[in-house]
Amino acid sequence: MTKLFATRSALVATMLLLVTPAIAAAQQESEAPPPSKPGKPISAGEVLSGELNAMKIRDVKNAGKRVAMYQITSEPRRLPAPNGLCDLETGPETFQLVTSSDAQASQLKSFVGKEISVKVDEVACASDPGQMSEAVVTKWSLVKK
């Protein structure tokens, strides 16, 4: 009887040693990170820097033709009123660069995957379906480093 009790006690102790760290880890993961602060503001004339990404999307206006879409991933930024935080807690982090000419598109093509800086002239929250970014920069110019 004592041997059976000792075996069960050892089994329970082993189970507790295995389960306790798992419970502690689960509690740490479930704790929410502290709320992020809103990003610093960006307005016309300021510089936006980040990594340039390119994606091929179907253009709704051109009968579904695949076109390149360029996007800068940056730190969170607040937009000027009335756009503010674009319904996000910290502000947008992805900014679609709208190209107005083939020259602008070819200029960006050589910088894909690299850090770039653009001077922002017009920026707004994304609102159209098919926009892959949180904010859209409609007028911009590349800043030479």
PDB file of all heavy atoms in Angstrom, residues 61-102:
ATOM      1  N   LYS A  61     -10.069  49.702 -63.061  1.00  0.00           N
ATOM      2  CA  LYS A  61     -10.365  50.698 -64.094  1.00  0.00           C
ATOM      3  C   LYS A  61      -9.903  50.268 -65.478  1.00  0.00           C
ATOM      4  O   LYS A  61     -10.405  50.754 -66.477  1.00  0.00           O
ATOM      5  CB  LYS A  61      -9.720  52.033 -63.725  1.00  0.00           C
ATOM      6  CG  LYS A  61     -10.266  52.612 -62.446  1.00  0.00           C
ATOM      7  CD  LYS A  61      -9.521  53.862 -62.051  1.00  0.00           C
ATOM      8  CE  LYS A  61     -10.003  54.333 -60.683  1.00  0.00           C
ATOM      9  NZ  LYS A  61      -9.177  55.409 -60.161  1.00  0.00           N
ATOM     10  N   ASN A  62      -8.924  49.376 -65.563  1.00  0.00           N
ATOM     11  CA  ASN A  62      -8.375  48.948 -66.856  1.00  0.00           C
ATOM     12  C   ASN A  62      -8.698  47.489 -67.155  1.00  0.00           C
ATOM     13  O   ASN A  62      -7.823  46.711 -67.509  1.00  0.00           O
ATOM     14  CB  ASN A  62      -6.860  49.160 -66.897  1.00  0.00           C
ATOM     15  CG  ASN A  62      -6.476  50.614 -66.942  1.00  0.00           C
ATOM     16  OD1 ASN A  62      -7.222  51.428 -67.463  1.00  0.00           O
ATOM     17  ND2 ASN A  62      -5.327  50.953 -66.400  1.00  0.00           N
ATOM     18  N   ALA A  63      -9.942  47.112 -67.015  1.00  0.00           N
ATOM     19  CA  ALA A  63     -10.433  45.767 -67.375  1.00  0.00           C
ATOM     20  C   ALA A  63      -9.629  44.647 -66.712  1.00  0.00           C
ATOM     21  O   ALA A  63      -9.364  43.623 -67.322  1.00  0.00           O
ATOM     22  CB  ALA A  63     -10.431  45.599 -68.887  1.00  0.00           C
ATOM     23  N   GLY A  64      -9.219  44.837 -65.482  1.00  0.00           N
ATOM     24  CA  GLY A  64      -8.546  43.782 -64.733  1.00  0.00           C
ATOM     25  C   GLY A  64      -7.091  43.566 -65.109  1.00  0.00           C
ATOM     26  O   GLY A  64      -6.504  42.553 -64.742  1.00  0.00           O
ATOM     27  N   LYS A  65      -6.501  44.488 -65.831  1.00  0.00           N
ATOM     28  CA  LYS A  65      -5.091  44.382 -66.203  1.00  0.00           C
ATOM     29  C   LYS A  65      -4.223  44.415 -64.943  1.00  0.00           C
ATOM     30  O   LYS A  65      -4.483  45.180 -64.024  1.00  0.00           O
ATOM     31  CB  LYS A  65      -4.735  45.561 -67.117  1.00  0.00           C
ATOM     32  CG  LYS A  65      -3.308  45.590 -67.567  1.00  0.00           C
ATOM     33  CD  LYS A  65      -3.050  46.824 -68.417  1.00  0.00           C
ATOM     34  CE  LYS A  65      -1.571  47.001 -68.635  1.00  0.00           C
ATOM     35  NZ  LYS A  65      -1.269  48.291 -69.251  1.00  0.00           N
ATOM     36  N   ARG A  66      -3.193  43.564 -64.911  1.00  0.00           N
ATOM     37  CA  ARG A  66      -2.284  43.529 -63.757  1.00  0.00           C
ATOM     38  C   ARG A  66      -1.321  44.710 -63.832  1.00  0.00           C
ATOM     39  O   ARG A  66      -0.655  44.911 -64.843  1.00  0.00           O
ATOM     40  CB  ARG A  66      -1.533  42.210 -63.700  1.00  0.00           C
ATOM     41  CG  ARG A  66      -2.436  41.051 -63.324  1.00  0.00           C
ATOM     42  CD  ARG A  66      -1.714  39.723 -63.368  1.00  0.00           C
ATOM     43  NE  ARG A  66      -0.581  39.662 -62.477  1.00  0.00           N
ATOM     44  CZ  ARG A  66      -0.592  39.175 -61.238  1.00  0.00           C
ATOM     45  NH1 ARG A  66      -1.712  38.721 -60.738  1.00  0.00           N
ATOM     46  NH2 ARG A  66       0.494  39.136 -60.512  1.00  0.00           N
ATOM     47  N   VAL A  67      -1.274  45.475 -62.747  1.00  0.00           N
ATOM     48  CA  VAL A  67      -0.384  46.636 -62.687  1.00  0.00           C
ATOM     49  C   VAL A  67       0.425  46.568 -61.391  1.00  0.00           C
ATOM     50  O   VAL A  67       0.011  45.935 -60.415  1.00  0.00           O
ATOM     51  CB  VAL A  67      -1.172  47.970 -62.738  1.00  0.00           C
ATOM     52  CG1 VAL A  67      -1.856  48.142 -64.079  1.00  0.00           C
ATOM     53  CG2 VAL A  67      -2.164  48.066 -61.612  1.00  0.00           C
ATOM     54  N   ALA A  68       1.559  47.236 -61.405  1.00  0.00           N
ATOM     55  CA  ALA A  68       2.396  47.280 -60.203  1.00  0.00           C
ATOM     56  C   ALA A  68       1.832  48.313 -59.234  1.00  0.00           C
ATOM     57  O   ALA A  68       1.389  49.384 -59.645  1.00  0.00           O
ATOM     58  CB  ALA A  68       3.827  47.626 -60.567  1.00  0.00           C
ATOM     59  N   MET A  69       1.836  47.970 -57.960  1.00  0.00           N
ATOM     60  CA  MET A  69       1.423  48.891 -56.903  1.00  0.00           C
ATOM     61  C   MET A  69       2.600  48.981 -55.946  1.00  0.00           C
ATOM     62  O   MET A  69       3.175  47.972 -55.555  1.00  0.00           O
ATOM     63  CB  MET A  69       0.188  48.346 -56.183  1.00  0.00           C
ATOM     64  CG  MET A  69      -0.468  49.338 -55.236  1.00  0.00           C
ATOM     65  SD  MET A  69       0.125  49.350 -53.539  1.00  0.00           S
ATOM     66  CE  MET A  69      -0.309  47.748 -52.958  1.00  0.00           C
ATOM     67  N   TYR A  70       2.984  50.193 -55.595  1.00  0.00           N
ATOM     68  CA  TYR A  70       4.141  50.409 -54.735  1.00  0.00           C
ATOM     69  C   TYR A  70       3.679  50.873 -53.365  1.00  0.00           C
ATOM     70  O   TYR A  70       2.733  51.644 -53.243  1.00  0.00           O
ATOM     71  CB  TYR A  70       5.092  51.426 -55.361  1.00  0.00           C
ATOM     72  CG  TYR A  70       5.651  50.928 -56.668  1.00  0.00           C
ATOM     73  CD1 TYR A  70       5.055  51.267 -57.877  1.00  0.00           C
ATOM     74  CD2 TYR A  70       6.745  50.083 -56.687  1.00  0.00           C
ATOM     75  CE1 TYR A  70       5.562  50.785 -59.069  1.00  0.00           C
ATOM     76  CE2 TYR A  70       7.255  49.595 -57.877  1.00  0.00           C
ATOM     77  CZ  TYR A  70       6.655  49.952 -59.069  1.00  0.00           C
ATOM     78  OH  TYR A  70       7.151  49.468 -60.242  1.00  0.00           O
ATOM     79  N   GLN A  71       4.377  50.406 -52.350  1.00  0.00           N
ATOM     80  CA  GLN A  71       3.969  50.656 -50.968  1.00  0.00           C
ATOM     81  C   GLN A  71       5.217  50.864 -50.109  1.00  0.00           C
ATOM     82  O   GLN A  71       6.194  50.134 -50.247  1.00  0.00           O
ATOM     83  CB  GLN A  71       3.189  49.428 -50.494  1.00  0.00           C
ATOM     84  CG  GLN A  71       2.762  49.439 -49.065  1.00  0.00           C
ATOM     85  CD  GLN A  71       2.114  48.107 -48.699  1.00  0.00           C
ATOM     86  OE1 GLN A  71       2.808  47.105 -48.581  1.00  0.00           O
ATOM     87  NE2 GLN A  71       0.816  48.105 -48.542  1.00  0.00           N
ATOM     88  N   ILE A  72       5.139  51.858 -49.234  1.00  0.00           N
ATOM     89  CA  ILE A  72       6.201  52.077 -48.249  1.00  0.00           C
ATOM     90  C   ILE A  72       5.703  51.569 -46.907  1.00  0.00           C
ATOM     91  O   ILE A  72       4.595  51.898 -46.487  1.00  0.00           O
ATOM     92  CB  ILE A  72       6.562  53.566 -48.115  1.00  0.00           C
ATOM     93  CG1 ILE A  72       7.283  54.060 -49.369  1.00  0.00           C
ATOM     94  CG2 ILE A  72       7.449  53.799 -46.897  1.00  0.00           C
ATOM     95  CD1 ILE A  72       7.702  55.507 -49.293  1.00  0.00           C
ATOM     96  N   THR A  73       6.527  50.763 -46.240  1.00  0.00           N
ATOM     97  CA  THR A  73       6.236  50.335 -44.878  1.00  0.00           C
ATOM     98  C   THR A  73       7.104  51.179 -43.958  1.00  0.00           C
ATOM     99  O   THR A  73       8.324  51.200 -44.082  1.00  0.00           O
ATOM    100  CB  THR A  73       6.551  48.843 -44.692  1.00  0.00           C
ATOM    101  OG1 THR A  73       5.822  48.104 -45.671  1.00  0.00           O
ATOM    102  CG2 THR A  73       6.165  48.381 -43.302  1.00  0.00           C
ATOM    103  N   SER A  74       6.457  51.883 -43.043  1.00  0.00           N
ATOM    104  CA  SER A  74       7.141  52.864 -42.212  1.00  0.00           C
ATOM    105  C   SER A  74       6.681  52.719 -40.773  1.00  0.00           C
ATOM    106  O   SER A  74       5.853  51.878 -40.448  1.00  0.00           O
ATOM    107  CB  SER A  74       6.797  54.267 -42.745  1.00  0.00           C
ATOM    108  OG  SER A  74       7.380  55.262 -41.951  1.00  0.00           O
ATOM    109  N   GLU A  75       7.198  53.583 -39.913  1.00  0.00           N
ATOM    110  CA  GLU A  75       6.684  53.664 -38.550  1.00  0.00           C
ATOM    111  C   GLU A  75       5.273  54.240 -38.606  1.00  0.00           C
ATOM    112  O   GLU A  75       4.920  54.899 -39.585  1.00  0.00           O
ATOM    113  CB  GLU A  75       7.594  54.558 -37.705  1.00  0.00           C
ATOM    114  CG  GLU A  75       7.626  55.992 -38.189  1.00  0.00           C
ATOM    115  CD  GLU A  75       8.590  56.870 -37.405  1.00  0.00           C
ATOM    116  OE1 GLU A  75       8.879  56.567 -36.242  1.00  0.00           O
ATOM    117  OE2 GLU A  75       9.031  57.866 -37.968  1.00  0.00           O
ATOM    118  N   PRO A  76       4.443  54.006 -37.591  1.00  0.00           N
ATOM    119  CA  PRO A  76       3.095  54.577 -37.608  1.00  0.00           C
ATOM    120  C   PRO A  76       3.139  56.100 -37.688  1.00  0.00           C
ATOM    121  O   PRO A  76       3.972  56.733 -37.039  1.00  0.00           O
ATOM    122  CB  PRO A  76       2.481  54.134 -36.282  1.00  0.00           C
ATOM    123  CG  PRO A  76       3.341  53.042 -35.783  1.00  0.00           C
ATOM    124  CD  PRO A  76       4.696  53.236 -36.378  1.00  0.00           C
ATOM    125  N   ARG A  77       2.255  56.658 -38.499  1.00  0.00           N
ATOM    126  CA  ARG A  77       2.185  58.111 -38.658  1.00  0.00           C
ATOM    127  C   ARG A  77       0.723  58.540 -38.588  1.00  0.00           C
ATOM    128  O   ARG A  77      -0.155  57.852 -39.101  1.00  0.00           O
ATOM    129  CB  ARG A  77       2.761  58.539 -40.012  1.00  0.00           C
ATOM    130  CG  ARG A  77       4.204  58.134 -40.264  1.00  0.00           C
ATOM    131  CD  ARG A  77       5.196  58.790 -39.322  1.00  0.00           C
ATOM    132  NE  ARG A  77       5.315  60.208 -39.503  1.00  0.00           N
ATOM    133  CZ  ARG A  77       6.234  60.803 -40.227  1.00  0.00           C
ATOM    134  NH1 ARG A  77       7.135  60.098 -40.873  1.00  0.00           N
ATOM    135  NH2 ARG A  77       6.271  62.114 -40.319  1.00  0.00           N
ATOM    136  N   ARG A  78       0.479  59.661 -37.947  1.00  0.00           N
ATOM    137  CA  ARG A  78      -0.866  60.245 -37.930  1.00  0.00           C
ATOM    138  C   ARG A  78      -1.007  61.149 -39.135  1.00  0.00           C
ATOM    139  O   ARG A  78      -0.077  61.884 -39.477  1.00  0.00           O
ATOM    140  CB  ARG A  78      -1.082  61.073 -36.670  1.00  0.00           C
ATOM    141  CG  ARG A  78      -1.392  60.275 -35.446  1.00  0.00           C
ATOM    142  CD  ARG A  78      -1.890  61.165 -34.306  1.00  0.00           C
ATOM    143  NE  ARG A  78      -1.304  62.489 -34.255  1.00  0.00           N
ATOM    144  CZ  ARG A  78      -0.359  62.875 -33.396  1.00  0.00           C
ATOM    145  NH1 ARG A  78       0.102  62.037 -32.510  1.00  0.00           N
ATOM    146  NH2 ARG A  78       0.109  64.097 -33.410  1.00  0.00           N
ATOM    147  N   LEU A  79      -2.164  61.131 -39.745  1.00  0.00           N
ATOM    148  CA  LEU A  79      -2.427  62.003 -40.881  1.00  0.00           C
ATOM    149  C   LEU A  79      -3.103  63.270 -40.407  1.00  0.00           C
ATOM    150  O   LEU A  79      -3.719  63.291 -39.338  1.00  0.00           O
ATOM    151  CB  LEU A  79      -3.314  61.290 -41.898  1.00  0.00           C
ATOM    152  CG  LEU A  79      -2.792  59.957 -42.429  1.00  0.00           C
ATOM    153  CD1 LEU A  79      -3.702  59.448 -43.523  1.00  0.00           C
ATOM    154  CD2 LEU A  79      -1.383  60.062 -42.933  1.00  0.00           C
ATOM    155  N   PRO A  80      -3.019  64.332 -41.201  1.00  0.00           N
ATOM    156  CA  PRO A  80      -3.695  65.573 -40.802  1.00  0.00           C
ATOM    157  C   PRO A  80      -5.209  65.385 -40.790  1.00  0.00           C
ATOM    158  O   PRO A  80      -5.740  64.501 -41.453  1.00  0.00           O
ATOM    159  CB  PRO A  80      -3.272  66.576 -41.868  1.00  0.00           C
ATOM    160  CG  PRO A  80      -2.656  65.794 -42.971  1.00  0.00           C
ATOM    161  CD  PRO A  80      -2.298  64.453 -42.447  1.00  0.00           C
ATOM    162  N   ALA A  81      -5.903  66.228 -40.031  1.00  0.00           N
ATOM    163  CA  ALA A  81      -7.360  66.166 -39.967  1.00  0.00           C
ATOM    164  C   ALA A  81      -7.920  66.365 -41.360  1.00  0.00           C
ATOM    165  O   ALA A  81      -7.317  67.061 -42.166  1.00  0.00           O
ATOM    166  CB  ALA A  81      -7.872  67.240 -39.017  1.00  0.00           C
ATOM    167  N   PRO A  82      -9.011  65.788 -41.717  1.00  0.00           N
ATOM    168  CA  PRO A  82      -9.928  64.998 -40.918  1.00  0.00           C
ATOM    169  C   PRO A  82      -9.577  63.518 -40.866  1.00  0.00           C
ATOM    170  O   PRO A  82     -10.294  62.730 -40.272  1.00  0.00           O
ATOM    171  CB  PRO A  82     -11.259  65.203 -41.635  1.00  0.00           C
ATOM    172  CG  PRO A  82     -10.885  65.304 -43.069  1.00  0.00           C
ATOM    173  CD  PRO A  82      -9.537  66.009 -43.069  1.00  0.00           C
ATOM    174  N   ASN A  83      -8.470  63.094 -41.504  1.00  0.00           N
ATOM    175  CA  ASN A  83      -8.133  61.679 -41.576  1.00  0.00           C
ATOM    176  C   ASN A  83      -7.627  61.105 -40.261  1.00  0.00           C
ATOM    177  O   ASN A  83      -7.949  59.990 -39.905  1.00  0.00           O
ATOM    178  CB  ASN A  83      -7.087  61.446 -42.670  1.00  0.00           C
ATOM    179  CG  ASN A  83      -7.631  61.775 -44.035  1.00  0.00           C
ATOM    180  OD1 ASN A  83      -8.660  61.272 -44.428  1.00  0.00           O
ATOM    181  ND2 ASN A  83      -6.943  62.653 -44.741  1.00  0.00           N
ATOM    182  N   GLY A  84      -6.819  61.849 -39.536  1.00  0.00           N
ATOM    183  CA  GLY A  84      -6.342  61.424 -38.225  1.00  0.00           C
ATOM    184  C   GLY A  84      -5.601  60.112 -38.228  1.00  0.00           C
ATOM    185  O   GLY A  84      -4.565  59.974 -38.841  1.00  0.00           O
ATOM    186  N   LEU A  85      -6.150  59.121 -37.539  1.00  0.00           N
ATOM    187  CA  LEU A  85      -5.476  57.829 -37.370  1.00  0.00           C
ATOM    188  C   LEU A  85      -5.975  56.763 -38.339  1.00  0.00           C
ATOM    189  O   LEU A  85      -5.600  55.607 -38.229  1.00  0.00           O
ATOM    190  CB  LEU A  85      -5.647  57.331 -35.928  1.00  0.00           C
ATOM    191  CG  LEU A  85      -5.024  58.206 -34.847  1.00  0.00           C
ATOM    192  CD1 LEU A  85      -5.356  57.672 -33.466  1.00  0.00           C
ATOM    193  CD2 LEU A  85      -3.530  58.307 -35.006  1.00  0.00           C
ATOM    194  N   CYS A  86      -6.853  57.105 -39.265  1.00  0.00           N
ATOM    195  CA  CYS A  86      -7.397  56.146 -40.242  1.00  0.00           C
ATOM    196  C   CYS A  86      -8.077  54.964 -39.551  1.00  0.00           C
ATOM    197  O   CYS A  86      -7.921  53.818 -39.969  1.00  0.00           O
ATOM    198  CB  CYS A  86      -6.315  55.627 -41.184  1.00  0.00           C
ATOM    199  SG  CYS A  86      -5.652  56.848 -42.311  1.00  0.00           S
ATOM    200  N   ASP A  87      -8.790  55.225 -38.482  1.00  0.00           N
ATOM    201  CA  ASP A  87      -9.484  54.181 -37.724  1.00  0.00           C
ATOM    202  C   ASP A  87      -8.538  53.122 -37.180  1.00  0.00           C
ATOM    203  O   ASP A  87      -8.906  51.971 -36.982  1.00  0.00           O
ATOM    204  CB  ASP A  87     -10.579  53.517 -38.570  1.00  0.00           C
ATOM    205  CG  ASP A  87     -11.654  54.509 -38.958  1.00  0.00           C
ATOM    206  OD1 ASP A  87     -11.924  55.440 -38.159  1.00  0.00           O
ATOM    207  OD2 ASP A  87     -12.224  54.369 -40.045  1.00  0.00           O
ATOM    208  N   LEU A  88      -7.288  53.502 -36.951  1.00  0.00           N
ATOM    209  CA  LEU A  88      -6.298  52.608 -36.356  1.00  0.00           C
ATOM    210  C   LEU A  88      -5.858  53.203 -35.030  1.00  0.00           C
ATOM    211  O   LEU A  88      -5.947  54.404 -34.816  1.00  0.00           O
ATOM    212  CB  LEU A  88      -5.087  52.467 -37.285  1.00  0.00           C
ATOM    213  CG  LEU A  88      -5.390  51.907 -38.667  1.00  0.00           C
ATOM    214  CD1 LEU A  88      -4.201  52.116 -39.585  1.00  0.00           C
ATOM    215  CD2 LEU A  88      -5.738  50.443 -38.585  1.00  0.00           C
ATOM    216  N   GLU A  89      -5.376  52.368 -34.151  1.00  0.00           N
ATOM    217  CA  GLU A  89      -4.980  52.834 -32.819  1.00  0.00           C
ATOM    218  C   GLU A  89      -3.749  53.742 -32.863  1.00  0.00           C
ATOM    219  O   GLU A  89      -3.656  54.710 -32.121  1.00  0.00           O
ATOM    220  CB  GLU A  89      -4.707  51.621 -31.927  1.00  0.00           C
ATOM    221  CG  GLU A  89      -4.523  51.956 -30.477  1.00  0.00           C
ATOM    222  CD  GLU A  89      -4.417  50.705 -29.621  1.00  0.00           C
ATOM    223  OE1 GLU A  89      -5.227  49.787 -29.794  1.00  0.00           O
ATOM    224  OE2 GLU A  89      -3.498  50.671 -28.798  1.00  0.00           O
ATOM    225  N   THR A  90      -2.812  53.436 -33.747  1.00  0.00           N
ATOM    226  CA  THR A  90      -1.556  54.193 -33.773  1.00  0.00           C
ATOM    227  C   THR A  90      -1.376  55.023 -35.031  1.00  0.00           C
ATOM    228  O   THR A  90      -0.470  55.824 -35.105  1.00  0.00           O
ATOM    229  CB  THR A  90      -0.360  53.237 -33.671  1.00  0.00           C
ATOM    230  OG1 THR A  90      -0.401  52.351 -34.780  1.00  0.00           O
ATOM    231  CG2 THR A  90      -0.367  52.487 -32.372  1.00  0.00           C
ATOM    232  N   GLY A  91      -2.192  54.816 -36.028  1.00  0.00           N
ATOM    233  CA  GLY A  91      -2.022  55.469 -37.319  1.00  0.00           C
ATOM    234  C   GLY A  91      -1.483  54.473 -38.321  1.00  0.00           C
ATOM    235  O   GLY A  91      -1.020  53.393 -37.962  1.00  0.00           O
ATOM    236  N   PRO A  92      -1.556  54.815 -39.610  1.00  0.00           N
ATOM    237  CA  PRO A  92      -1.129  53.866 -40.636  1.00  0.00           C
ATOM    238  C   PRO A  92       0.375  53.612 -40.629  1.00  0.00           C
ATOM    239  O   PRO A  92       1.157  54.478 -40.277  1.00  0.00           O
ATOM    240  CB  PRO A  92      -1.566  54.541 -41.938  1.00  0.00           C
ATOM    241  CG  PRO A  92      -1.865  55.940 -41.606  1.00  0.00           C
ATOM    242  CD  PRO A  92      -2.103  56.040 -40.144  1.00  0.00           C
ATOM    243  N   GLU A  93       0.742  52.392 -41.037  1.00  0.00           N
ATOM    244  CA  GLU A  93       2.140  51.994 -41.180  1.00  0.00           C
ATOM    245  C   GLU A  93       2.482  51.678 -42.628  1.00  0.00           C
ATOM    246  O   GLU A  93       3.648  51.607 -42.979  1.00  0.00           O
ATOM    247  CB  GLU A  93       2.442  50.759 -40.326  1.00  0.00           C
ATOM    248  CG  GLU A  93       2.342  51.006 -38.855  1.00  0.00           C
ATOM    249  CD  GLU A  93       2.632  49.764 -38.031  1.00  0.00           C
ATOM    250  OE1 GLU A  93       3.213  48.797 -38.556  1.00  0.00           O
ATOM    251  OE2 GLU A  93       2.286  49.756 -36.846  1.00  0.00           O
ATOM    252  N   THR A  94       1.462  51.439 -43.455  1.00  0.00           N
ATOM    253  CA  THR A  94       1.686  51.152 -44.870  1.00  0.00           C
ATOM    254  C   THR A  94       1.072  52.267 -45.706  1.00  0.00           C
ATOM    255  O   THR A  94      -0.070  52.666 -45.483  1.00  0.00           O
ATOM    256  CB  THR A  94       1.090  49.794 -45.277  1.00  0.00           C
ATOM    257  OG1 THR A  94      -0.300  49.774 -44.968  1.00  0.00           O
ATOM    258  CG2 THR A  94       1.791  48.657 -44.568  1.00  0.00           C
ATOM    259  N   PHE A  95       1.862  52.764 -46.648  1.00  0.00           N
ATOM    260  CA  PHE A  95       1.457  53.899 -47.470  1.00  0.00           C
ATOM    261  C   PHE A  95       1.612  53.530 -48.937  1.00  0.00           C
ATOM    262  O   PHE A  95       2.716  53.236 -49.388  1.00  0.00           O
ATOM    263  CB  PHE A  95       2.328  55.124 -47.158  1.00  0.00           C
ATOM    264  CG  PHE A  95       2.178  55.610 -45.748  1.00  0.00           C
ATOM    265  CD1 PHE A  95       2.895  55.023 -44.716  1.00  0.00           C
ATOM    266  CD2 PHE A  95       1.328  56.658 -45.446  1.00  0.00           C
ATOM    267  CE1 PHE A  95       2.767  55.465 -43.403  1.00  0.00           C
ATOM    268  CE2 PHE A  95       1.188  57.113 -44.143  1.00  0.00           C
ATOM    269  CZ  PHE A  95       1.903  56.515 -43.124  1.00  0.00           C
ATOM    270  N   GLN A  96       0.513  53.527 -49.678  1.00  0.00           N
ATOM    271  CA  GLN A  96       0.563  53.244 -51.103  1.00  0.00           C
ATOM    272  C   GLN A  96       1.006  54.502 -51.836  1.00  0.00           C
ATOM    273  O   GLN A  96       0.485  55.587 -51.591  1.00  0.00           O
ATOM    274  CB  GLN A  96      -0.806  52.818 -51.618  1.00  0.00           C
ATOM    275  CG  GLN A  96      -0.825  52.551 -53.107  1.00  0.00           C
ATOM    276  CD  GLN A  96      -2.188  52.105 -53.598  1.00  0.00           C
ATOM    277  OE1 GLN A  96      -3.058  51.760 -52.819  1.00  0.00           O
ATOM    278  NE2 GLN A  96      -2.359  52.119 -54.903  1.00  0.00           N
ATOM    279  N   LEU A  97       1.990  54.348 -52.723  1.00  0.00           N
ATOM    280  CA  LEU A  97       2.447  55.461 -53.546  1.00  0.00           C
ATOM    281  C   LEU A  97       1.732  55.366 -54.890  1.00  0.00           C
ATOM    282  O   LEU A  97       1.939  54.417 -55.642  1.00  0.00           O
ATOM    283  CB  LEU A  97       3.956  55.413 -53.757  1.00  0.00           C
ATOM    284  CG  LEU A  97       4.815  55.568 -52.507  1.00  0.00           C
ATOM    285  CD1 LEU A  97       6.287  55.453 -52.861  1.00  0.00           C
ATOM    286  CD2 LEU A  97       4.542  56.887 -51.822  1.00  0.00           C
ATOM    287  N   VAL A  98       0.887  56.336 -55.191  1.00  0.00           N
ATOM    288  CA  VAL A  98       0.165  56.357 -56.454  1.00  0.00           C
ATOM    289  C   VAL A  98       1.080  56.982 -57.496  1.00  0.00           C
ATOM    290  O   VAL A  98       1.552  58.114 -57.314  1.00  0.00           O
ATOM    291  CB  VAL A  98      -1.149  57.161 -56.322  1.00  0.00           C
ATOM    292  CG1 VAL A  98      -1.844  57.277 -57.661  1.00  0.00           C
ATOM    293  CG2 VAL A  98      -2.051  56.531 -55.273  1.00  0.00           C
ATOM    294  N   THR A  99       1.339  56.245 -58.574  1.00  0.00           N
ATOM    295  CA  THR A  99       2.196  56.772 -59.636  1.00  0.00           C
ATOM    296  C   THR A  99       1.323  57.488 -60.658  1.00  0.00           C
ATOM    297  O   THR A  99       0.298  56.978 -61.078  1.00  0.00           O
ATOM    298  CB  THR A  99       2.991  55.649 -60.320  1.00  0.00           C
ATOM    299  OG1 THR A  99       2.090  54.647 -60.769  1.00  0.00           O
ATOM    300  CG2 THR A  99       3.980  55.031 -59.346  1.00  0.00           C
ATOM    301  N   SER A 100       1.743  58.686 -61.051  1.00  0.00           N
ATOM    302  CA  SER A 100       0.968  59.474 -62.003  1.00  0.00           C
ATOM    303  C   SER A 100       1.530  59.386 -63.423  1.00  0.00           C
ATOM    304  O   SER A 100       0.931  59.912 -64.347  1.00  0.00           O
ATOM    305  CB  SER A 100       0.913  60.935 -61.557  1.00  0.00           C
ATOM    306  OG  SER A 100       2.212  61.455 -61.456  1.00  0.00           O
ATOM    307  N   SER A 101       2.660  58.727 -63.576  1.00  0.00           N
ATOM    308  CA  SER A 101       3.254  58.581 -64.911  1.00  0.00           C
ATOM    309  C   SER A 101       4.112  57.323 -64.950  1.00  0.00           C
ATOM    310  O   SER A 101       4.486  56.766 -63.914  1.00  0.00           O
ATOM    311  CB  SER A 101       4.114  59.802 -65.237  1.00  0.00           C
ATOM    312  OG  SER A 101       5.241  59.840 -64.381  1.00  0.00           O
ATOM    313  N   ASP A 102       4.430  56.909 -66.183  1.00  0.00           N
ATOM    314  CA  ASP A 102       5.326  55.755 -66.348  1.00  0.00           C
ATOM    315  C   ASP A 102       6.715  56.074 -65.812  1.00  0.00           C
ATOM    316  O   ASP A 102       7.418  55.194 -65.317  1.00  0.00           O
ATOM    317  CB  ASP A 102       5.412  55.347 -67.820  1.00  0.00           C
ATOM    318  CG  ASP A 102       4.115  54.721 -68.314  1.00  0.00           C
ATOM    319  OD1 ASP A 102       3.337  54.214 -67.479  1.00  0.00           O
ATOM    320  OD2 ASP A 102       3.883  54.746 -69.547  1.00  0.00           O
TER     321      ASP A 102
END
